Amino acid sequence: MPQLFEADNEKQSSAREVSPPPSTADDVTSAGSKSPLDIDAFDEAAAGGGDQISYKNMGWIKAGALIMAETIALGILSFPSVFYRLGMFAGVFTTVAFALLSWQTGYVLVQFKVNHPGVMNFADAGTVIAGKRGFWLFGVMLTVKSVFISGSHALSGAIALDNISSHAICKIAWSAIVAITAFLLTVPRTFEKLSYISFVSVTCILTACVITIAAAGNQSPADLPKYPSLGPVRWKAFENHGLVDTVNALTDIIFAFGGHVAIFSFASEMRKPADFKYSLALVQIVATLWYVVVGATIYRFGGQYVTSPALTMTSKPVRITAYSIALVSIIISGVVASYIAAKFIFLTLFRGTPHLTSRSPRTWGVWILICAAIWITGWIIAEVIPFFSDLLSIISSILTVWFTYGLSGVLWLHDHGPRGKSRHEGYFGSWRARVGFGMSVFVIAMSAVIMVLGIYSAVTSIVDNYASGAYGHPFLCASSSGGA
């Protein structure tokens, strides 16, 4: 790919210095000029001419594939366990309710992007509402989430390969192989390139779901793990397994709709960012339908014997087949997650300079180093911390619920406040504004409650697992027979 390493038409020495994030989006540099966050950084860089990378080349279908790959991943096979902890009716109702709520909060984020074209990620949104402090707070939150998710995908991929290969090699080696493969897939710098393999990711995980549903419906109850120690297979409309299990079920659903952290990043590389509302509708409809179908059908077939992920409750040949297909989705969805932090760091370094869209070897080298740092850090953290899965639950409780729900309320309140883009409508200027105000207050309060309960349940799990000796040691070279 020699064209990737062509020199810039502009000499590197002539590039402008990187500008720090603006203090607020309402500041203006001179009378009548636009705020820095009213200007799209990719448009500004492309205006310099020359042979540059074109970022803004996605339509809503490709953007929809990206957000779908981020949303519909291996976590979909945890829904039968969610339905077991909540019950059939409660599982369906709660899944649909959170889906509708996340649709609404996602729409708020799209409108915020339209109002502030220069908001390229959540860190920029933090700049709008709180200046530099908001930029760095949201930027650190975004990066931490991305690094931890990358590490979790390396572990999930290792577990899949461990099952497929019947524990052929050390699990650490498998996780390293997954991390290296995912890193190589992050080398292209545009989401448009990644959108093509996102279609593959979604197809693979849904195929694995169909295989698991068919196997669960046709296999004998005797093939279920631990059968018949828990009695005959049965399902209930409502289940009650205590506070911790119920909270974990709710957070599993919330985290399943956790792709909102990428909305600003995806929309920024669309020809018409406002069209992301169609991408959002696509993923909410498809994801909700599959979450309900997978959760309800496998819970109906497996009852109290369901596992998480559900494909571990099938026979070994089926499990190997399903894991082999799902592995593609595990890797690609991890790539999408890592892109969010990589693009944020890259944009922070080169915003306002020709390097942002440059094809020079130096610029490509920086991009590759950023991607490598994210995957290496995520892999090390996942291997070093023996309670990584529970720590990931804490991180998700603190971050995912806010990115998906709470922060949309904060951004809506800002844009309808005295200094916001929609201040003419205010909080109570119309029935639509009153509904928006009520929803914003609700999602902020809900996120605070879920965060506290999620941290409590995760900490409880850590204490219990330490007491039972369930945790291993850092870089433990052992096979895994459990789920991802």
Side-chain angles (χ1 to χ4, degrees):
M1 299 185 293
Q3 71 275 17
L4 298 180
F5 297 93
E6 293 173 359
D8 287 282
N9 290 330
E10 299 289 337
K11 297 242 180 232
Q12 302 295 338
S13 59
S14 66
R16 300 189 303 274
E17 292 186 0
V18 178
S19 301
S23 58
T24 69
D26 298 303
D27 292 343
V28 290
T29 56
S30 62
S33 66
K34 286 188 175 182
S35 160
L37 290 183
D38 283 335
I39 303 171
D40 188 299
F42 291 146
D43 285 342
E44 183 183 28
D51 183 20
Q52 297 173 310
I53 291 177
S54 173
Y55 283 101
K56 300 180 73 63
N57 46 20
M58 285 198 300
W60 69 269
I61 293 179
K62 288 182 179 178
L66 282 168
I67 193 72
M68 201 175 299
E70 176 70 357
T71 303
I72 307 177
L74 191 63
I76 189 175
L77 290 167
S78 70
F79 268 81
S81 176
V82 168
F83 276 51
Y84 166 62
R85 286 174 284 176
L86 297 178
M88 184 71 77
F89 177 82
V92 172
F93 177 83
T94 308
T95 301
V96 173
F98 275 120
L100 293 173
L101 186 58
S102 63
W103 195 340
Q104 189 271 338
T105 57
Y107 183 78
V108 169
L109 298 182
V110 175
Q111 289 302 113
F112 192 84
K113 168 65 179 175
V114 172
N115 289 342
H116 305 273
V119 170
M120 316 295 286
N121 46 55
F122 255 105
D124 287 342
T127 304
V128 172
I129 62 175
K132 291 182 180 180
R133 286 175 296 179
F135 175 88
W136 293 115
L137 174 62
F138 285 15
V140 169
M141 290 170 61
L142 183 154
T143 304
V144 169
K145 175 179 167 62
S146 187
V147 168
F148 271 77
I149 293 297
S150 299
S152 73
H153 279 273
L155 281 186
S156 296
I159 292 171
L161 286 169
D162 203 37
N163 278 272
I164 294 167
S165 66
S166 297
H167 324 306
I169 62 175
C170 175
K171 188 165 67 70
I172 297 175
W174 282 134
S175 65
I177 290 171
V178 172
I180 292 170
T181 303
F183 157 69
L184 293 175
L185 290 173
T186 62
V187 171
R189 278 163 54 187
T190 66
F191 280 119
E192 192 263 344
K193 296 291 190 297
L194 188 58
S195 68
Y196 296 108
I197 61 174
S198 295
F199 287 105
V200 177
S201 173
V202 175
T203 301
C204 286
I205 193 62
L206 295 185
T207 301
C209 289
V210 171
I211 292 172
T212 305
I213 291 172
N218 287 284
Q219 70 183 10
S220 168
D223 294 330
L224 293 169
K226 300 180 181 179
Y227 184 86
S229 62
L230 303 178
V233 176
R234 53 100 183 122
W235 61 272
K236 297 179 181 179
F238 297 93
E239 297 266 12
N240 183 8
H241 296 276
L243 177 63
V244 172
D245 272 356
T246 301
V247 170
N248 286 337
L250 293 177
T251 54
D252 281 349
I253 297 174
I254 290 172
F255 303 152
F257 291 106
H260 284 34
V261 67
I263 286 180
F264 292 132
S265 300
F266 292 161
S268 295
E269 297 195 21
M270 294 178 66
R271 290 185 293 271
K272 298 179 180 179
D275 284 352
F276 194 83
K277 59 181 178 287
Y278 304 123
S279 309
L280 185 66
L282 175 66
V283 70
Q284 293 302 121
I285 293 171
V286 174
T288 305
L289 175 64
W290 278 96
Y291 289 163
V292 169
V293 168
V294 171
T297 55
I298 296 179
Y299 174 49
R300 164 64 180 81
F301 295 140
Q304 67 273 35
Y305 294 98
V306 296
T307 59
S308 181
L311 49 80
T312 59
M313 61 183 277
T314 59
S315 63
K316 186 174 181 179
V318 174
R319 183 165 65 248
I320 290 176
T321 302
Y323 260 130
S324 300
I325 297 173
L327 180 62
V328 177
S329 180
I330 294 172
I331 294 174
I332 295 175
S333 56
V335 172
V336 175
S338 69
Y339 248 67
I340 309 306
K343 195 60 68 75
F344 158 66
I345 296 171
F346 188 80
L347 187 64
T348 302
L349 290 174
F350 294 129
R351 190 170 198 151
T353 76
H355 296 295
L356 186 61
T357 55
S358 169
R359 297 180 184 272
S360 72
R362 175 186 175 186
T363 306
W364 274 102
V366 172
W367 170 255
I368 291 171
L369 285 175
I370 291 170
C371 295
I374 290 172
W375 278 103
I376 291 172
T377 304
W379 179 77
I380 291 175
I381 290 174
E383 292 292 345
V384 165
I385 301 175
F387 52 92
F388 175 76
S389 294
D390 289 316
L391 181 59
L392 182 65
S393 296
I394 294 176
I395 296 296
S396 296
S397 297
I398 297 173
L399 302 181
T400 303
V401 68
W402 284 101
F403 281 128
T404 306
Y405 297 104
L407 291 183
S408 72
V410 174
L411 297 181
W412 189 95
L413 291 175
H414 175 275
D415 252 14
H416 286 75
R419 301 179 66 192
K421 294 286 186 176
S422 301
R423 58 184 176 272
H424 62 280
E425 191 176 25
Y427 298 148
F428 309 105
S430 66
W431 70 267
R432 190 183 301 273
R434 290 190 288 272
V435 171
F437 177 80
M439 290 296 297
S440 297
V441 173
F442 172 74
V443 294
I444 292 171
M446 184 197 77
S447 298
V449 172
I450 293 294
M451 180 181 70
V452 173
L453 292 176
I455 293 174
Y456 167 77
S457 64
V459 170
T460 300
S461 177
I462 292 174
V463 172
D464 291 344
N465 286 329
Y466 261 120
S468 65
Y471 292 134
H473 302 286
F475 293 103
L476 181 64
C477 187
S479 63
S480 172
S481 58

